[in-house]
Amino acid sequence: MYTTPYINGAPLEAPPASFIDVINPASRRPFSKVLMARPEHMTSAIDAAYAAKDIWGRTLAAERELILQRAADVLEGARQEVVDLLIDEAGSTFGKAQFEVSFTVNMLRAVSGEARRIQGNVMPADVPGMMSIAIRRPLGVVAGIAPFNFPLILATKKVCLAIAAGNTFVLKPSEETSLVGLKIAEIFQKAGLPPGVLNVVPGDGPTVGPVLLTDPRVRLVSFTGSTAVGKMIAVECAKHGKKVILELGGKSPLIVLKDADLDYAVATACFGIFIHQGQICMAGSRIIVEAPIYEAFLERFVAKAKTLKVGDPRDPHTVIGPLIRSSQCGLIDGKIKESVAVGARVLLGGTHEGNFYHPTVIADVKPGMAAFRDELFGPVAAVVRAQDADHALKLANDTAYGLSSAVLTNDLQLAMKFALELEAGMVHINGPTVHDEATVPFGGVKDSGNGREGGHWSMDELTETKWITIQLGRRQYPF
Ligand code: NAD
């Protein structure tokens, strides 16, 4: 297992004294060690990516495709080891860790074909005899900054899309999931990716991140994380003339209309807010229920949430594992207290033991309350009463965020009205807010970001268009 920055095809040599402990969020005890990079390591990683970019940019699409397919096979072969790491370092439950590996294997296979599908155009020209062509070229060096919650999926997504498009890459994983980031380097190394094409530099964001944002050789920064950090990154990228892709936070609404099947609505709401303890950007954290079914929904929802097993993440029956860090529990306590002070009711939970926050249901949540407004990133469902469908739509859009959304109804006319009018990058009809696939345009609007990550949408973002003309015969000039 690599425990030091992976630069130019090899992990750094470093004296043991310079390593820090890696803490298991469930036990809150150290289980491994890692070397956090210094700014000069980040510069070396950019040097390596820059040196590799011309050769990698010229590789055949078939070669890039094959490496991504091999990476999928290597990851599948290392499943147990990676699942263990996702549990120990990221606080994943057994089921979430297995899902994360399966999703990533499938994603690598699905994205491999994108390398072949990068397309240009031939356009009509305004000059007789001229051919006018637009082609897509790799950007060169791309940087990725990733969050802790789905550390394998989200970082690998950035890596595989960028290298499929012919770019070289520097990845800064979350400081909370450095080992998972380094595991990605190991997988691609075993898959035969040449040195320098992928460099992984674990480190503290404010310490090493600025190197990526200011170095002119980095052409695009692909960021997934909180809105506050994302906005700061966008400003820095603008100052240095870089493209930026932002995949940020959310406060996604799940709307339950009065004709919805109640048991299905309860199951959908539970999955959407309690998977990975609510630490998901797309979490259905505002559950907006039409008045005629509000009380009945609450009763069944609380009853189901009570049955979710909290505890040992290695137990396959556990649904609620630990939050990533203790301070998150304190932050959630504070937001619940604030909301209760202005009229919200805690029907379940609102407490924690160690880093284990109990599934929590808060009712009568209204706009303006912290539980309505703020991303809590924990297993906290804020349930909101809507007078009717129009009110539900208004409540759903009453947020700074705009990532995912969902509506449960069998009324097709109404479902499509919601689909068109919800201010969100993604709308799911009769499903949860939590859903992702490798080739879809994943992303948000408003404070949830501006990029789209997945499939050919990413190929457009990760390449630049070059205009080429060819004059056939002689062109006539005015003088
Ligand atoms: P975070 O913003 O705290 O950290 C994200 C990354 O930014 C980390 O790698 C961190 O080291 C880095 N960073 C922090 N300060 C930096 C700086 N000054 N310069 C450069 N890099 C810096 O987010 P987190 O706590 O890891 O993740 C949770 C957040 O991510 C939530 O808001 C969640 O909604 C969001 N998220 C969004 C998506 C999406 O696709 N939209 C997916 C997952 C998570």
Side-chain angles (χ1 to χ4, degrees):
M1 183 165 77
Y2 293 155
T3 54
T4 61
Y6 175 87
I7 297 169
N8 205 20
L12 273 186
E13 300 283 333
S18 50
F19 287 61
I20 61 161
D21 286 337
V22 183
I23 308 293
N24 177 323
S27 66
R28 297 194 283 178
R29 293 205 192 94
F31 78 96
S32 186
K33 291 202 173 274
V34 71
L35 180 78
M36 297 299 261
R38 294 192 301 272
E40 57 269 30
H41 297 138
M42 193 58 97
T43 303
S44 303
I46 298 170
D47 293 344
Y50 193 74
K53 81 176 172 61
D54 290 338
I55 292 177
W56 183 249
R58 285 195 291 267
T59 49
L60 295 178
E63 199 176 322
R64 303 199 295 274
E65 180 183 61
L66 186 62
I67 286 177
L68 293 188
Q69 289 175 359
R70 280 204 218 117
D73 295 341
V74 173
L75 174 57
E76 186 61 78
R79 175 178 284 271
Q80 190 55 51
E81 197 188 328
V82 179
V83 163
D84 284 343
L85 198 51
L86 287 166
I87 294 173
D88 290 339
E89 188 182 38
S92 308
T93 57
F94 175 81
K96 182 264 190 185
Q98 290 285 0
F99 163 79
E100 198 166 351
V101 174
S102 300
F103 185 105
T104 309
V105 168
N106 179 49
M107 175 173 71
L108 286 162
R109 293 194 176 125
V111 167
S112 69
E114 294 299 340
R116 288 183 185 271
R117 291 192 286 270
I118 297 169
Q119 291 180 355
N121 298 80
V122 181
M123 300 160 288
D126 283 348
V127 176
M130 178 180 280
M131 282 191 78
S132 180
I133 302 169
I135 64 165
R136 292 207 163 262
R137 305 285 295 151
L139 295 173
V141 179
V142 169
I145 302 179
F148 74 84
N149 59 333
F150 279 76
L152 182 69
I153 292 178
L154 296 173
T156 308
K157 193 190 260 192
K158 293 186 186 305
V159 171
C160 70
L161 289 165
I163 66 177
N167 300 294
T168 56
F169 204 83
V170 179
L171 170 67
K172 198 209 83 59
S174 162
E175 41 279 80
E176 267 135 351
T177 52
S178 301
L179 296 178
V180 175
L182 291 167
K183 183 55 73 182
I184 296 169
E186 204 181 308
I187 287 162
F188 275 97
Q189 185 188 38
K190 287 184 179 153
L193 191 68
V197 178
L198 170 62
N199 306 275
V200 179
V201 186
D204 171 57
T207 307
V208 293
V211 181
L212 291 175
L213 310 180
T214 54
D215 191 307
R217 294 170 297 175
V218 175
R219 300 287 311 284
L220 178 147
V221 175
S222 173
F223 174 81
T224 301
S226 62
T227 297
V229 175
K231 284 185 175 177
M232 182 278 294
I233 282 177
V235 170
E236 286 307 305
C237 286
K239 275 195 216 156
H240 294 91
K242 291 184 203 310
K243 284 174 88 175
V244 62
I245 296 173
L246 298 175
E247 302 285 352
L248 309 179
K251 191 75 191 174
S252 299
L254 168 72
I255 299 145
V256 186
L257 294 183
K258 63 184 179 209
D259 70 317
D261 178 292
L262 218 46
D263 287 332
Y264 180 66
V266 165
T268 305
C270 264
F271 174 79
I273 185 60
F274 295 126
I275 179 171
H276 197 37
Q277 301 78 264
Q279 299 173 117
I280 301 193
C281 54
M282 305 164 266
S285 51
R286 289 183 302 144
I287 301 169
I288 300 170
V289 187
E290 238 186 310
I293 56 166
Y294 182 75
E295 293 300 337
F297 173 87
L298 273 177
E299 195 181 314
R300 290 193 210 182
F301 184 52
V302 169
K304 180 156 171 92
K306 259 185 201 161
T307 66
L308 304 180
K309 189 167 179 345
V310 182
D312 179 7
R314 286 190 179 275
D315 178 343
H317 297 109
T318 296
V319 174
I320 306 284
L323 293 184
I324 193 72
R325 58 185 102 83
S326 312
S327 59
Q328 192 62 19
C329 297
L331 191 142
I332 294 172
D333 281 345
K335 299 285 181 187
I336 294 177
K337 222 167 146 189
E338 262 184 62
S339 307
V340 169
V342 287
R345 283 184 295 144
V346 176
L347 301 186
L348 182 72
T351 55
H352 61 94
E353 285 155 63
N355 288 353
F356 291 85
Y357 212 97
H358 291 273
T360 298
V361 179
I362 323 179
D364 302 346
V365 173
K366 295 192 173 64
M369 292 182 179
F372 187 97
R373 184 189 59 226
D374 300 334
E375 185 181 44
L376 304 190
F377 234 53
V380 182
V383 188
V384 183
R385 182 199 297 263
Q387 287 134 26
D388 53 28
D390 283 342
H391 186 216
L393 181 59
K394 202 163 159 246
L395 287 165
N397 287 339
D398 188 358
T399 170
Y401 293 108
L403 189 57
S404 187
S405 59
V407 57
L408 304 183
T409 178
N410 289 311
D411 181 335
L412 180 63
Q413 299 289 335
L414 212 43
M416 280 313 295
K417 177 181 161 66
F418 274 86
L420 297 175
E421 294 183 18
L422 278 166
E423 294 168 3
M426 304 176 283
V427 183
H428 301 291
I429 298 169
N430 290 330
T433 55
V434 175
H435 188 59
D436 188 13
E437 293 184 19
T439 52
V440 301
F442 186 98
V445 298
K446 295 161 71 178
D447 273 2
S448 292
N450 55 23
R452 292 294 176 267
E453 248 185 355
H456 71 84
W457 282 273
S458 287
M459 295 303 108
D460 290 353
E461 304 238 29
L462 292 162
T463 53
E464 59 200 0
T465 309
K466 184 177 259 183
W467 181 38
I468 299 174
T469 66
I470 308 164
Q471 184 64 46
L472 302 171
R474 284 173 172 251
R475 181 173 169 178
Q476 297 296 311
Y477 300 107
F479 55 86

